[in-house]
Amino acid sequence: MQVFFLDLGLFINRLAFAEQFRLNPLMSKSLLSAVRLAIILGYLGVANQAFTKAADLGYTDTPMLPSGKWHVHDPDRPKPPVVNSGATFSHGASAPSDAIVLFDGTDLSKWEGAKGAAPEWAIHEDYMEVKTNTGNIHTKDKFDDFQLHLEFAEPLKVEGDSQERGNSGVFLHGREGQGGYELQVLDCYNNPTYPDGQCGALYGQSPPLVNACKKPGQWQTYDIFFEAARWNENHELIRPASVTVIQNGLLIHHKQPLLGPTGHKTLASYSKELSDKAPIELQDHHTPVRYRNIWIRNITEDEKP
């Protein structure tokens, strides 16, 4: 809002400047009116941009989260502190012997688009890149509890701000037409947005513990440990899904329970029983985000003592 008030002061100064012309006998009333109108219209445009930009940073007309403190996508929620990670962590990590390689840089044979269509995303060198407006892609295989490694890079050319800059997402247990649990991918290097929508957030639910983002164009890593939701024989939820996430070597979620599948401006919930297994989905959010070195390991339940 500081920008808004600065612009308001500028607006008043310009109107005062215009009034000086009123004393000029060479200026007609119609010309003076035109000057005043131009200044007013210009001010309204700036003010509208200021309010629009503020709205992009979050919402206060959305449902309250269970804590009762914050709305979904609340702009006033505390922003995670920025922590600079080491130069590398699990970058280029080779797949373990029991892992399933989902993308090795050569082809998209493990993936498909909507309704089983062949994915249209591009492959360059050792990475895939979102081909904008072609839709999300998801794995052909479905997974239960798992460990997932992937690497991503935001576009080097910086365009847009807030949610319009380098937006994509990793949907854990993605379901065609229903989404899943979204781990946000976004360029949050010097790019403020609402905390539960920034890079590393469990979208609409939990911000990351820290902002671990690297500069656009640099490769970043996600190491994800996911446990699926469980229901009993009476179809009652007995365990919500939960996730632990490491970004670039920094812990950003630790055994974080999930409120339910992701939604925009809505409160997530388990409105129905979900299957134990589902694909991994990568989002096309109209920006050319890159992905490489994706592998997954199935995790079995710990043996009970």
Side-chain angles (χ1 to χ4, degrees):
M1 294 305 293
Q2 182 180 7
V3 173
F4 171 78
F5 285 115
L6 287 174
D7 289 328
L8 178 59
L10 182 61
F11 164 67
I12 293 171
N13 289 337
R14 287 179 175 173
L15 272 186
F17 175 73
E19 284 300 312
Q20 294 177 12
F21 284 100
R22 184 173 59 83
L23 303 177
N24 188 336
L26 297 179
M27 176 167 278
S28 66
K29 290 184 178 179
S30 60
L31 183 55
L32 177 60
S33 297
V35 171
R36 286 173 174 166
L37 179 61
I39 292 173
I40 291 170
L41 289 176
Y43 163 70
L44 290 176
V46 170
N48 180 64
Q49 289 176 7
F51 282 119
T52 299
K53 187 171 181 62
D56 287 344
L57 297 182
Y59 307 88
T60 56
D61 60 348
T62 50
M64 295 294 294
L65 289 161
S67 67
K69 295 180 180 180
W70 314 111
H71 293 271
V72 175
H73 313 321
D74 199 318
D76 296 324
R77 194 169 184 176
K79 293 177 173 55
V82 175
V83 177
N84 295 323
S85 65
T88 61
F89 179 65
S90 56
H91 297 69
S94 299
S97 61
D98 63 347
I100 300 169
V101 177
L102 297 176
F103 180 68
D104 65 0
T106 61
D107 64 69
L108 293 171
S109 59
K110 298 285 188 180
W111 301 81
E112 60 187 11
K115 299 180 180 179
E120 298 182 48
W121 292 18
I123 296 178
H124 304 283
E125 301 173 357
D126 63 345
Y127 64 86
M128 68 167 91
E129 183 176 85
V130 176
K131 184 176 180 182
T132 59
N133 302 314
T134 62
N136 298 357
I137 63 172
H138 60 265
T139 58
K140 294 178 179 178
D141 292 337
K142 298 179 180 181
F143 304 95
D144 192 345
D145 301 346
F146 57 78
Q147 173 187 349
L148 174 66
H149 172 86
L150 62 82
E151 302 173 26
F152 67 95
E154 297 292 345
L156 185 59
K157 183 179 180 181
V158 176
E159 295 181 323
D161 50 33
S162 187
Q163 293 291 303
E164 300 305 317
R165 184 184 298 181
N167 196 326
S168 182
V170 181
F171 282 88
L172 312 173
H173 269 209
R175 293 170 175 82
E176 188 171 351
Q178 301 179 48
Y181 313 98
E182 182 184 8
L183 177 63
Q184 177 73 305
V185 173
L186 190 73
D187 179 2
C188 282
Y189 188 85
N190 294 331
N191 178 37
T193 190
Y194 44 88
D196 67 14
Q198 76 171 70
C199 192
L202 302 171
Y203 189 80
Q205 302 182 39
S206 302
L209 294 173
V210 298
N211 181 344
C213 291
K214 293 183 178 293
K215 294 180 180 179
Q218 294 185 357
W219 284 101
Q220 308 191 53
T221 59
Y222 273 158
D223 290 286
I224 303 162
F225 306 87
F226 176 80
E227 290 185 315
R230 291 286 188 272
W231 280 258
N232 62 19
E233 62 276 6
N234 296 321
H235 309 288
E236 298 167 329
L237 181 69
I238 57 174
R239 186 186 80 181
S242 64
V243 66
T244 294
V245 183
I246 299 172
Q247 181 183 357
N248 300 326
L250 294 169
L251 182 69
I252 61 172
H253 296 286
H254 181 54
K255 297 183 178 179
Q256 180 64 49
L258 290 151
L259 302 176
T262 296
H264 177 59
K265 299 178 70 175
T266 60
L267 182 62
S269 66
Y270 295 99
S271 58
K272 62 180 180 180
E273 184 174 352
L274 304 174
S275 60
D276 290 344
K277 294 185 177 183
I280 307 299
E281 187 170 64
L282 302 179
Q283 185 184 40
D284 168 13
H285 201 281
H286 320 305
T287 48
V289 175
R290 299 174 177 180
Y291 291 96
R292 72 178 185 186
N293 191 23
I294 307 175
W295 48 262
I296 193 168
R297 297 179 60 248
N298 289 303
I299 298 176
T300 58
E301 293 249 0
D302 290 339
E303 183 179 348
K304 301 298 186 292

